[in-house]
Amino acid sequence: MTPGLSYLLASVTCSVAVAAMLKLARRWQVDVRQAIMVNHAVAALLCWLLLRPDPATLLTPQTPWAVLLTLGLLLPSGFMAMALAVRHAGVVRSDAAQRLSLFIPLLAAFLLFGEPVSARKLGAIALAFAALFCLLRRPARTGEAPGPGNHAGTDVAPGRALWMWPLAVWVAYGLVDILFKQMARAGTAFAGGLLLAFALSSALMLAYLSWRRAAWAPRHLAAGVALGAVNFGNIITYIRAHQALPDHPALVFASMNMGVITLGTLVGALVFREPLSRLNGLGLALALAAILLMAPW
């Protein structure tokens, strides 16, 4: 296997592993808020150690602090939405919603930044919205919330939570993507912006938890270290995949997004026994088609 494909496989695995860890947090009695706070601190540290941002570029008059502060709020909020989504709607829908969020910045490019509209991109957006509709529909038979002895751990809930939290994931991650693009437009280096965003996210989450008088416990913090390592593993291996395959950005883009949806479906269905209807299956197929159509071939 070539280095580029190895990085892609590792990135896909890390992305789905994040969702699986959030899914297991309730069973392991982990306070997800504390884990998310430590996750961002670990990601900031690993960003500093591995991406080595230039300190001179971090604090300049051009630093877009409003964008960074908004990211500091949105990143942990998106993680919390993801935790609630995998708990109530399952890994399959949550991972698919996260990957479909890439169409929000595409819409923003048309509506806010004056990017030319093309039939291919409009078709991809239409497929993405159709996929989201199908994915968020309640399956014909929903599993009951698990009792202590339910080994499968299926936690798919009926009603509003089934679609509300994946929809929140879709919106939150889409807005995060727009804000990172705004940072790039402001001239902020990627590594430096990522470091500042993670550091601010951790600091704001720490302030929130202190205000809420959270009951700190080592297992919550240890879970956050593991979550942060896997989360940053997803980021760094995705970057390395692009670096290893510089002439094939479409391959990296499509393989990453389709790989996460495919592996997330397998993990959700086989490991967590999440119920899916035929309409949900159609939604997954439409999501894959939208990503293929969107890829910059």
Side-chain angles (χ1 to χ4, degrees):
M1 184 181 295
T2 65
L5 293 180
S6 298
Y7 284 131
L8 268 175
L9 181 59
S11 188
V12 167
T13 302
C14 287
S15 181
V16 176
V18 167
M21 291 170 73
L22 291 172
K23 177 83 171 181
L24 292 168
R26 188 186 185 196
R27 188 190 302 179
W28 292 342
Q29 297 182 322
V30 168
D31 183 346
V32 175
R33 302 169 306 168
Q34 294 183 42
I36 289 172
M37 184 273 293
V38 176
N39 152 70
H40 288 307
V42 169
L45 176 62
L46 291 174
C47 182
W48 177 266
L49 294 175
L50 298 178
L51 296 182
R52 298 185 180 278
D54 182 1
T57 66
L58 297 182
L59 303 175
T60 68
Q62 291 75 35
T63 301
W65 286 108
V67 172
L68 284 167
L69 285 171
T70 307
L71 275 171
L73 292 169
L74 266 178
L75 284 172
S77 299
F79 246 99
M80 280 301 303
M82 188 70 174
L84 290 165
V86 296
R87 174 179 168 184
H88 292 295
V91 172
V92 178
R93 293 178 185 81
S94 303
D95 271 337
Q98 181 187 357
R99 290 296 138 185
L100 286 172
S101 68
L102 61 93
F103 289 93
I104 291 181
L106 180 60
L107 277 173
F110 294 150
L111 301 177
L112 301 178
F113 306 127
E115 182 174 315
V117 178
S118 69
R120 179 174 65 86
K121 290 179 179 178
L122 286 178
I125 290 172
L127 283 175
F129 275 104
L132 201 63
F133 172 81
C134 295
L135 285 166
L136 299 185
R137 294 288 293 175
R138 177 179 172 178
R141 295 179 61 188
T142 53
E144 297 294 331
N150 188 342
H151 178 72
T154 309
D155 205 13
V156 179
R160 188 171 61 177
L162 190 66
W163 59 264
M164 181 176 68
W165 292 117
L167 188 61
V169 167
W170 182 68
V171 172
Y173 280 88
L175 292 177
V176 164
D177 200 349
I178 291 174
L179 290 172
F180 272 119
K181 284 180 170 58
Q182 285 297 95
M183 278 205 313
R185 283 171 173 261
T188 306
F190 173 75
L194 198 62
L195 172 61
L196 288 174
F198 282 145
L200 280 170
S201 298
S202 184
L204 291 172
M205 199 68 181
L206 177 60
Y208 168 76
L209 289 170
S210 300
W211 174 64
R212 297 289 296 177
R213 299 180 184 275
W216 302 97
R219 71 173 179 276
H220 309 319
L221 305 182
V225 172
L227 187 64
V230 176
N231 181 33
F232 190 76
N234 169 39
I235 296 169
I236 191 68
T237 51
Y238 185 61
I239 293 171
R240 296 288 184 255
H242 273 291
Q243 292 173 339
L245 298 166
D247 299 324
H248 304 282
L251 173 65
V252 177
F253 171 87
S255 299
M256 178 64 192
N257 290 288
M258 294 177 68
V260 169
I261 291 176
T262 303
L263 183 59
T265 300
L266 291 173
V267 170
L270 301 179
V271 177
F272 297 110
R273 302 179 191 176
E274 296 172 0
L276 291 173
S277 67
R278 290 181 179 177
L279 188 62
N280 299 151
L282 175 62
L284 291 170
L286 290 174
L288 296 175
I291 290 167
L292 273 176
L293 192 58
M294 170 66 182
W297 302 103

